[in-house]
Amino acid sequence: MATVETGAIRPFTVEIPEAELEALRGRIAATRWPSRELVADRSQGVQLATVQELARYWATEYDVRRCEARLNAVPQFTTEIDGADIHFIHVRSRHENALPLIMTHGWPGSVIEMIDSVGPLTDPTAHGGGAEDAFHLVLPSLPGYGFSGEPVEVGWDLGRTAGAWAELMRRLGYTRYVAQGGDVGAGVTDAMGRQAPESLIGIHTNLLVPALSGTMPTDTDEERAAAAQIATFQQSGNGYFVEMATRPQTIGYALLDSPVALAAWMLDHDTDSYDKIARAFVDGQPVGNLSRDHILDNVTLYWLTGTGASAARSYWEAYGPDAPAAGRPPLPPPAIPVGFTTFPGEIWRTPRSWVEASYPNVAYFNEVDRGGHFAAWEEPELFSSEVRAAFGSLR
């Protein structure tokens, strides 16, 4: 790679060589399949019927050029920050007083899960909103994910990424902006709020990060139900989390060598999203935007960029007991306004009381009636309306 000026922002275009697609199809065809699971549900893992139908569709019907065109239809850039090459989408609204917004994806997601939110957020007048609801939108790829470069040293935890995002917004000339995140992106957004860069005026998340590491109240039925959901996840649903937080390199060999292993690993997240994705492939009945093509757009991005292992290492950095960040005391809660939306299919349904116990300045809270862990992906219009509502008072 040629040496580039530090701080330079460079246009980026996705160009997928046909030879890589042929190699992908060949690897899918050469898959060695396990026998069928011995249970009727997903308690032993991703079910054979789901992955075999995914593989069949991937090798014979899926068209990655459609995804390539979708990505290249929005302005993309790269810039080097703190030694890492960061890829990002940057769409400026045509509306004069648009509020700058940086949104961060999670695992096993990517900027692809947010593409269908670009229109509703940057051009709300075409989606039932007003010009006063518009955002200038920045969608970065986490370090080691997608088209961003892999970190070449340890230490890229949530806080370091949060600092990189503040620098990115500074380079783009934004002196007053807001931030949104879900999953890993919620951790980055929470860290941005705690670091309190001068230009950040509010945050919104749809996963309550403090509930993963702290004790939450269990005084009400709603609180006890949420605590029980977290306990169930920790007992039988977080195998991927434990492996990536403790041994990301081990699983990385399979993720880089077998596209089917990569797909199965990425599907094995939470029960709600898995059931919806399985329904899309096995029954041909997608829920919201979780269609076969959209799911494979995301998996294919991980495969073609070879970022399965580096994305897994981000969990080691953020949550691993051996990472440099382990045991580091948390920064004080954000003093800026905080918004939160609870989606019913999330790993747990966060009560308002938990949000208020975690953040001193809750300016917005809402519980909606549909959507899950990948809210921006599954329900982009609903998700966008929540983001607009959360930051409405900050304009």
Side-chain angles (χ1 to χ4, degrees), residues 211-214 227-239 242 347-348:
L212 288 171
S213 56
Q229 288 178 312
I230 293 178
T232 297
F233 171 71
Q234 292 173 335
Q235 290 164 6
S236 62
N238 69 340
V242 173
I347 298 172
W348 70 90

Side-chain angles (χ1 to χ4, degrees), residues 69-88:
R70 292 183 77 212
L71 284 166
N72 288 333
V74 292
Q76 300 175 83
F77 305 89
T78 60
T79 189
E80 183 185 324
I81 301 177
D82 196 11
D85 211 30
I86 301 300
H87 163 265
F88 63 98

Side-chain angles (χ1 to χ4, degrees), residues 351-374:
R352 181 179 185 126
S353 59
W354 282 14
V355 181
E356 292 175 340
S358 303
Y359 300 114
N361 191 13
V362 179
Y364 180 85
F365 177 88
N366 194 30
E367 184 171 352
V368 295
D369 61 359
R370 65 185 189 277
H373 185 77
F374 301 101

Side-chain angles (χ1 to χ4, degrees), residues 2-203:
T3 301
V4 298
E5 176 188 354
T6 300
I9 295 176
R10 309 175 297 278
F12 180 85
T13 302
V14 179
E15 297 177 344
I16 303 170
E18 187 62 33
E20 291 194 22
L21 301 180
E22 288 298 325
L24 168 60
R25 297 183 190 105
R27 283 180 176 264
I28 295 172
T31 299
R32 295 179 63 190
W33 294 99
S35 57
R36 183 186 178 279
E37 62 279 357
L38 303 179
V39 293
D41 55 24
R42 69 178 288 256
S43 61
Q44 290 189 339
V46 177
Q47 293 157 295
L48 183 64
T50 299
V51 183
Q52 285 189 324
E53 179 55 27
L54 179 151
R56 183 205 64 78
Y57 187 84
W58 201 1
T60 63
E61 297 184 44
Y62 172 70
D63 179 13
V64 73
R65 298 300 180 192
R66 178 194 50 78
C67 176
E68 184 180 63
R70 292 183 77 212
L71 284 166
N72 288 333
V74 292
Q76 300 175 83
F77 305 89
T78 60
T79 189
E80 183 185 324
I81 301 177
D82 196 11
D85 211 30
I86 301 300
H87 163 265
F88 63 98
I89 293 169
H90 182 204
V91 183
R92 289 188 57 86
S93 173
R94 63 187 177 88
H95 298 292
E96 183 178 353
N97 295 318
L99 178 64
L101 164 64
I102 183 167
M103 292 206 312
T104 312
H105 66 86
W107 184 91
S110 66
V111 292
I112 284 174
E113 69 184 90
M114 298 178 175
I115 286 180
D116 287 314
S117 297
V118 170
L121 290 173
T122 61
D123 189 15
T125 56
H127 296 266
E132 67 277 7
D133 297 322
F135 295 92
H136 299 308
L137 194 58
V138 180
L139 305 177
S141 296
L142 289 164
Y145 287 69
F147 298 110
S148 281
E150 293 188 16
V152 295
E153 61 182 4
V154 298
W156 272 97
D157 56 16
L158 299 172
R160 186 168 176 178
T161 303
W165 280 193
E167 170 61 17
L168 174 60
M169 296 302 275
R170 186 197 67 78
R171 288 186 191 180
L172 294 174
Y174 293 130
T175 58
R176 186 175 182 273
Y177 62 88
V178 293
Q180 143 68 32
D183 192 80
V184 175
V188 173
T189 302
D190 174 88
M192 290 182 73
R194 295 173 189 273
Q195 291 176 358
E198 184 178 356
S199 300
L200 182 64
I201 63 170
I203 64 172

